[in-house]
Amino acid sequence: MIDEKRLLEVYRLYKKELYIYIFKFTRSQEAAEDILQDCFENLIKYSLKYPVEDSNLRSFLYKTAHNLSLNHIKKSRRYIHETIEEDSCITGEDYVTGEVELDELNHTIYRALDQLDELSRSIFIMKKELTLPISEISSNLGISERTVRRKISKTLEYLAESLKKSGHLQFFLIFLAVLQPWIVLFNR
């Protein structure tokens, strides 16, 4: 079991960045605070069954935060019913299909991220989810800005290749279009 002193240290170390990460998903201060507490409760429960290594703490907390945030969003999702004109080519089925494909894409991306080393995952999450500048990521992790840029570039290449291999070709093209500004920024 993780001892109380270490738990408080980990909480102080990660609470702010995890809160920001969760808030970006939920857009609710109350929900983000609740989910943050749940993350640490899950850490305690996990530590009762399995040994917890310092090298895996951060990724465990981020993965837990991600899953709890998605669960919260699914539970609290409210469907807005809009009337669709009869001559419209958009149907309710299209919305459902799009949502299923988006969930599948999200799972594919996070499965691919799980295959990366912890440093690459952390850098990617800090840049993409927390939108931290490269200089701050570099400072937080104690590595050079060049290393941060290189890791992000390699991670983007890896994710693009994973999406392409998994049969998400249409999403692969969207992924490249969305990340094009990132790629340009990191190659400077």
Side-chain angles (χ1 to χ4, degrees), residues 78-84 92 95:
R78 293 183 179 96
Y79 296 98
I80 300 172
H81 298 284
E82 295 185 36
T83 56
I84 299 174
Y95 291 120

Side-chain angles (χ1 to χ4, degrees), residues 2-15:
I2 191 167
D3 67 7
E4 188 176 334
K5 182 179 177 184
R6 179 65 180 139
L7 183 62
L8 289 173
E9 183 181 316
V10 169
Y11 182 77
R12 274 188 235 113
L13 187 63
Y14 297 119
K15 72 178 177 181

Side-chain angles (χ1 to χ4, degrees), residues 138-151:
S138 169
S139 173
N140 287 346
L141 297 176
I143 58 176
S144 72
E145 289 184 20
R146 182 173 181 236
T147 301
V148 173
R149 284 187 184 92
R150 187 176 44 81
K151 288 282 191 182

Side-chain angles (χ1 to χ4, degrees), residues 77-100:
R77 183 175 287 149
R78 293 183 179 96
Y79 296 98
I80 300 172
H81 298 284
E82 295 185 36
T83 56
I84 299 174
E85 296 178 20
E86 286 183 23
D87 60 351
S88 172
C89 62
I90 300 173
T91 65
E93 233 176 73
D94 293 334
Y95 291 120
V96 173
T97 303
E99 189 175 314
V100 169

